[in-house]
């Protein structure tokens, strides 16, 4: 037969304390999931699941520009996709990438080079599986900004004077494609690659739609997803000062390297390291590092960090548990007197 303890103020207080502890313990996983650390946020269950890395190329190029990075990531055991970017305009290209992202199960790290940075900024919006964004010598627009508009804000780019404009007609209508002049390609786009390689790249380049390059973004995922940035100090296609401005505005974890525009080709080790770090420290990552230059916690551009709430809940849980234990013991001693 069970023994009923007499009710007392102390026993009631103990019950309340223990109930508080239970509620806090129940709430913590939900908040952790909102932070990207729980199952609903994609995360890395048990720290074992590597995110899929999706690499989006920019204008005047194709996915082969990521070859050296792909090789390194595959060797590290990451699933990797480097899809073709249609280069028809931010709205079109972001929608295409967004559909690809929806087909991926589990966490994703999304990286974009050059114009591809604008594409990933819009494509990742609203997708809870995207754990981190990595910008490589890239455009990182906000809502209402276009790559062309951003490019005009800072001096240092020589791309405008290096372009050929070629009319086109297709099933969607007509417009103008932009190419880099072959004799300017090495200097403006890939100065730290061998000239022979730059000549091949110039011959094989894919154009970008001039009108599409001027399209304004309707979403900017870097407000909600942690970001990393590789600034190329010798970039003549996108002004280095623009890259610094974007990285600062987005509170990105940033490295600067002595590189041309194609840093993922000439400095593949550095770019791969940023992607690896994003995979381990983005929302849902496991080692807790982050922040600009490795000296501060990773931040979101316009949102607060949920870790403070989790810390407060943890402290409340510990206090409630300790108080409940002490009060229960006191109540039991009094009930046996």
């Amino acid at each position: 037969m069970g023994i009923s303890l007499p009710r007392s103020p102390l026993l009631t207080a103990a019950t309340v304390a223990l109930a508080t502890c239970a509620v806090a313990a129940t709430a913590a996983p939900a908040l952790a999931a909102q932070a990207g650390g729980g199952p609903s946020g994609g995360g890395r269950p048990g720290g074992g699941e590597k995110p899929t890395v999706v690499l989006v190329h920019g204008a005047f190029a194709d996915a082969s520009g990521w070859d050296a990075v792909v090789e390194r990531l595959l060797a590290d055991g990451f699933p990797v996709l480097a899809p073709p970017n249609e280069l028809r305009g931010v709205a079109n290209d972001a929608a295409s990438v967004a559909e690809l992202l929806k087909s991926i199960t589990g966490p994703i790290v999304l990286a974009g080079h050059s114009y591809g940075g604008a594409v990933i900024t819009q494509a990742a919006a609203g997708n809870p599986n995207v754990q981190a964004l990595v910008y490589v010598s890239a455009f990182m627009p906000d809502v209402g900004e276009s790559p062309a508009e951003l490019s005009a804000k800072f001096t240092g780019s020589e791309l405008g004077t290096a372009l050929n404009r070629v009319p086109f007609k297709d099933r969607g209508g007509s417009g103008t494609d932009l190419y880099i002049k072959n004799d300017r390609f090495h200097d403006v786009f890939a100065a730290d690659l061998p000239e022979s390689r730059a000549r091949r790249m110039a011959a094989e380049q894919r154009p970008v739609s001039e009108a599409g390059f001027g399209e304004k973004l309707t979403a900017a995922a870097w407000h909600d997803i942690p970001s990393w940035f590789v600034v190329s100090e010798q970039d003549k296609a996108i002004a280095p000062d623009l890259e610094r401005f974007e990285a600062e505005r987005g509170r990105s974890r940033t490295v600067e390297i002595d590189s041309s525009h194609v840093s993922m080709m000439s400095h593949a080790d550095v770019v791969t390291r940023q992607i690896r770090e994003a995979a381990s420290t983005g929302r849902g990552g496991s080692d807790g590092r982050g922040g600009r230059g490795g000296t501060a916690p990773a931040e979101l551009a316009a949102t607060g960090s949920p870790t403070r709430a989790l810390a407060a809940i943890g402290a409340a849980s510990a206090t409630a548990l300790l108080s409940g234990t002490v009060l229960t013991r006191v109540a039991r001693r009094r009930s046996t007197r």
Side-chain angles (χ1 to χ4, degrees):
M1 186 165 88
I3 300 175
S4 298
L5 293 176
R7 294 188 178 274
S8 72
L10 283 174
L11 186 55
T12 301
T15 303
V16 171
L18 290 172
T20 302
C21 179
V23 170
T26 302
L31 284 179
Q34 292 174 16
S40 65
R44 295 193 299 155
E49 181 186 356
K50 286 185 181 293
T52 298
V53 179
V54 178
L55 306 168
V56 179
H57 69 81
F60 319 113
D62 59 28
S64 66
W66 289 107
D67 279 355
V69 174
V70 170
E71 181 181 5
R72 287 160 172 77
L73 291 172
L74 289 175
D76 288 340
F78 285 94
V80 182
L81 291 173
N85 186 357
E86 297 178 17
L87 305 179
R88 296 295 86 191
V90 173
N92 175 85
D93 302 340
S96 178
V97 172
E99 289 302 312
L100 174 66
L101 298 179
K102 292 176 186 176
S103 74
I104 299 171
T105 301
I108 300 167
V109 171
L110 184 57
H113 171 248
S114 190
Y115 164 81
V119 174
I120 69 170
T121 296
Q122 183 151 312
N127 189 324
N129 283 348
V130 180
Q131 306 296 295
L133 301 169
V134 182
Y135 293 86
V136 181
S137 314
F139 289 110
M140 186 182 182
D142 203 348
V143 175
E145 293 178 341
S146 70
E149 179 184 348
L150 274 177
S151 189
K153 288 181 178 291
F154 293 85
T155 60
S157 171
E158 298 180 15
L159 185 62
T161 62
L163 294 175
N164 267 335
R165 288 169 169 80
V166 179
F168 72 83
K169 290 184 179 180
D170 59 23
R171 289 176 296 179
S174 61
T176 301
D177 271 338
L178 301 178
Y179 293 82
I180 298 177
K181 298 174 183 177
N182 283 16
D183 61 352
R184 298 289 306 280
F185 195 94
H186 181 250
D187 180 53
V188 172
F189 200 75
D192 52 357
L193 296 183
E195 286 193 32
S196 58
R197 189 174 186 183
R199 283 197 298 269
R200 292 196 302 273
M201 291 168 62
E204 298 167 356
Q205 67 178 291
R206 293 184 55 211
V208 63
S209 166
E210 183 174 35
F213 199 69
E215 288 182 0
K216 298 179 183 294
L217 271 69
T218 58
W222 51 264
H223 283 291
D224 304 305
I225 302 172
S227 60
W228 278 251
F229 210 112
V230 178
V231 172
S232 295
E233 297 172 338
Q234 306 304 321
D235 199 335
K236 294 182 181 180
I238 298 178
D241 282 344
L242 171 56
E243 295 174 20
R244 294 184 183 104
F245 163 77
E246 294 171 322
E248 182 69 27
R249 179 176 67 173
R251 299 183 184 178
S252 306
R253 184 182 177 96
T254 305
V255 296
E256 295 199 4
I257 52 178
D258 185 21
S259 175
S260 74
H261 186 59
V262 290
S263 53
M264 73 290 190
M265 301 175 73
S266 59
H267 294 78
D269 286 336
V270 176
V271 172
T272 304
R273 187 163 61 245
Q274 285 289 86
I275 293 172
R276 287 194 199 107
E277 185 173 290
S280 65
T281 63
R283 69 179 184 188
S286 61
D287 70 2
R289 295 177 302 160
R292 186 177 176 86
T295 60
E299 296 180 272
L300 297 179
T303 57
S305 172
T307 55
R308 293 182 181 176
L310 294 177
I313 287 175
S317 298
T319 302
L321 181 59
L322 179 60
S323 300
T325 302
V326 171
L327 292 172
T328 300
R329 287 178 179 174
V330 171
R332 284 176 176 167
R333 286 198 192 102
R334 289 194 174 189
S335 68
T336 57
R337 289 177 182 174

